[in-house]
Amino acid sequence: MLDVLTVTLPVFLIIGAGYVAVWRKVFSQGQVDGLMMFTQRFAIPCLLFLAMARLDLSEGFDWRMLTAYYSGSLVSFGAGVIGTLLWLKRGIEDAVAVGFAAMFANTVLLGLPIAARAYGEDSLAPNYTIIAFNAAFCYFIGISAMEAVRAGGTGFLGGMKTVARRMSTNSLMIGVAAGLLVNLTGLPLPGPISEALTLIASAALPAALFGLGGVLVQYRPEGDARGIILCSGIALILHPAWTWGIGRMLGLDQAAFRAAVLTAAMAPGVNSYLFAAMHGRAVRISASSVLIGTAVSVLTVSGWLLLL
């Protein structure tokens, strides 16, 4: 267990340092927002661009791994919806927002550094494959469900246009798409450009983890304890357990299996809060689940690593 904690604790200590720095006003919220802007719009897109440009597509895109992971996402979404309706006794629109938070794992800021520390940088190809589809898949499910249950709104087509517009201007998706384009076309990257991108990418995850801690100060846990338990429990336990079972059933190789289960075990990402705020539904549950889920995942992710 101590060996596992040496993998996970440094990641969460960096997050904790960012949280304390903003909480104690060593960093202002504006400074942390600027740091996150650098990582989200510049450094992490560079990281994803290089990863997708160098990805071995013949090995990385394993349909069995994607089936195991994303069937788990759908099950998590459904469990969040049903749990909100039957246990929390809240409306269907709140249920969709909670379901979205339950399925949207923090694949980049938590998933990548933990997997890299556990299994090495060379093991991350399956993780990048999952990341390439995660935002588009989750937003498609969430927007589709929300518009299907809403009377009025922009409608399904309007919702899909919103998703398409956001994905096309999202710097992370641009990094993934540009990297895939370079990969598929075989365009060479000049040495100085590749070195510059590598230098920037090397700063992405440590800076983003520190910034994530600072951002989490905003998401103070406020009431709705059962909703937070429901959302966090689905994200941290049900999603990886389902992925584990389907991955074993489909006969995933070790690298893909570890990547799918470990990524599924991550806490809800900040996009969970953004989706809830965009629709004005279950905002407190979603925001608090990001904070509490991230804190509790110190133990649950360590447990999954121990099992793996």
Side-chain angles (χ1 to χ4, degrees), residues 136-206:
F137 177 88
C138 292
Y139 270 104
F140 176 81
I141 298 300
I143 292 285
S144 300
M146 186 65 79
E147 294 302 335
V149 302
R150 268 190 166 170
T154 58
F156 176 77
L157 290 178
M160 289 303 101
K161 288 178 181 177
T162 299
V163 172
R165 184 169 61 252
R166 291 190 176 199
M167 291 299 102
S168 66
T169 58
N170 183 288
S171 53
L172 302 184
M173 293 298 99
I174 292 172
V176 168
L180 281 175
L181 179 63
V182 168
N183 192 314
L184 293 171
T185 59
L187 290 172
L189 278 178
I193 292 178
S194 179
E195 288 295 325
L197 290 172
T198 300
L199 285 172
I200 295 170
S202 67
L205 293 179

Side-chain angles (χ1 to χ4, degrees), residues 52-135:
M52 300 310 295
R54 297 167 178 171
L55 182 67
D56 185 345
L57 297 177
S58 63
E59 295 183 4
F61 284 81
D62 187 333
W63 69 267
R64 297 169 303 166
M65 178 185 70
L66 295 174
T67 299
Y69 181 85
Y70 284 109
S71 65
S73 296
L74 285 175
V75 167
S76 298
F77 177 76
V81 170
I82 294 171
T84 304
L85 292 173
L86 299 183
W87 188 37
L88 305 185
K89 307 296 184 184
R90 297 179 65 153
I92 185 64
E93 292 182 23
D94 282 358
V96 171
V98 173
F100 184 91
M103 76 169 165
F104 201 108
N106 195 337
T107 58
V108 177
L109 300 190
L110 287 181
L112 284 180
I114 290 175
R117 287 189 54 79
Y119 305 118
E121 295 284 347
D122 295 336
S123 72
L124 296 180
N127 299 72
Y128 287 118
T129 302
I130 293 172
I131 289 167
F133 297 100
N134 191 55

Side-chain angles (χ1 to χ4, degrees), residues 7-80:
V7 171
T8 57
L9 269 182
V11 172
F12 290 102
L13 285 175
I14 297 173
I15 295 172
Y19 189 96
V20 172
V22 174
W23 174 45
R24 303 306 300 170
K25 303 192 185 307
V26 177
F27 271 63
S28 70
Q29 195 65 61
Q31 288 170 325
V32 168
D33 289 342
L35 177 63
M36 288 300 283
M37 188 174 295
F38 163 73
T39 59
Q40 297 271 17
R41 298 188 183 180
F42 199 63
I44 292 177
C46 289
L47 173 70
L48 296 178
F49 170 81
L50 289 174
M52 300 310 295
R54 297 167 178 171
L55 182 67
D56 185 345
L57 297 177
S58 63
E59 295 183 4
F61 284 81
D62 187 333
W63 69 267
R64 297 169 303 166
M65 178 185 70
L66 295 174
T67 299
Y69 181 85
Y70 284 109
S71 65
S73 296
L74 285 175
V75 167
S76 298
F77 177 76

